[in-house]
Amino acid sequence: MDAQTCLEKLQYVGVLAFETVDEDGNPQVRNISAIHYEPDALYFFTARGKDFCKELLADGRVQVLGYTRYKEMIRLSAKAAPAAQDKQKYWIDTIFSEQPYLSNVYPGDTRNIGIIFEICNATIEYFNLGVNPIFRESYVIGSGKITAKGYTITDACIGCGTCTQNCPQSCISEISFCRTNRSFNRL
């Protein structure tokens, strides 16, 4: 598994949930299918007057979520930015040729009210919930950064092993909570 494979899997999903934050800090989720995939980036279309576009222009932060029929969850976290002005028409034409239904939504020249955003620096989290233990890994596109996540065993740990016995994925071992390193990665 790698970042490119994750992007390919998102492409097979088709319609993805894109989440932004509105001006009041409230999460906003949209389903988007007007997407073009490159090996190291993705491009998506929206209309300029929509709240989605305003939120992206104001802040840019976006999370994209896809779930495959094989119980794989792929979450991409990034900052989206408008594609270069001289490439807008190229990407609009590309997306409209790949997604013919868009011509029904934006007939003729009305597609010109749209804007293409690009994501070329991102963090991807991949979860395969269909295996045991659950497989989880993180990848980057461009200059995306992986943030360490996980649980921390505090100094209150007495080393009784209760967490090891009760972990539903059997991912905790005595080595995981060695007193010299009280952190372990979550799945």
Side-chain angles (χ1 to χ4, degrees), residues 15-48:
V15 178
L16 303 177
F18 278 64
E19 182 176 3
T20 57
V21 179
D22 70 14
E23 61 194 22
D24 297 321
N26 299 313
Q28 301 295 319
V29 180
R30 285 96 173 166
N31 289 326
I32 306 292
S33 62
I35 307 166
H36 171 77
Y37 297 84
E38 290 287 320
D40 57 353
L42 61 90
Y43 297 83
F44 60 96
F45 174 91
T46 190
R48 291 182 190 274

Side-chain angles (χ1 to χ4, degrees), residues 60-172:
R61 289 179 298 160
V62 65
Q63 276 199 333
V64 181
L65 184 66
Y67 191 77
T68 75
R69 67 184 198 149
Y70 301 107
K71 311 298 183 226
E72 299 165 297
M73 193 277 295
I74 302 165
R75 180 174 51 210
L76 184 146
S77 301
K79 198 151 194 172
Q85 188 60 41
D86 64 336
K87 290 295 208 172
Q88 286 286 324
K89 182 179 180 340
Y90 171 80
W91 290 120
I92 288 173
D93 291 345
T94 299
I95 289 173
F96 272 69
S97 70
E98 293 173 353
Q99 305 288 338
Y101 80 91
L102 286 171
S103 293
N104 293 329
V105 180
Y106 299 97
D109 289 338
T110 63
R111 71 174 65 180
N112 295 330
I113 67 168
I115 183 172
I116 299 293
F117 285 89
E118 67 180 345
I119 294 174
C120 52
N121 299 306
T123 301
I124 298 175
E125 292 179 273
Y126 172 84
F127 303 80
N128 187 334
L129 304 175
V131 297
N132 192 334
I134 293 170
F135 178 80
R136 179 179 187 169
E137 196 65 55
S138 296
Y139 310 100
V140 296
I141 298 172
S143 62
K145 294 190 184 340
I146 295 174
T147 303
K149 296 180 179 180
Y151 299 99
T152 301
I153 298 173
T154 68
D155 289 334
C157 173
I158 60 172
C160 67
T162 300
C163 60
T164 301
Q165 296 166 6
N166 293 303
C167 178
Q169 292 296 314
S170 302
C171 64
I172 303 172

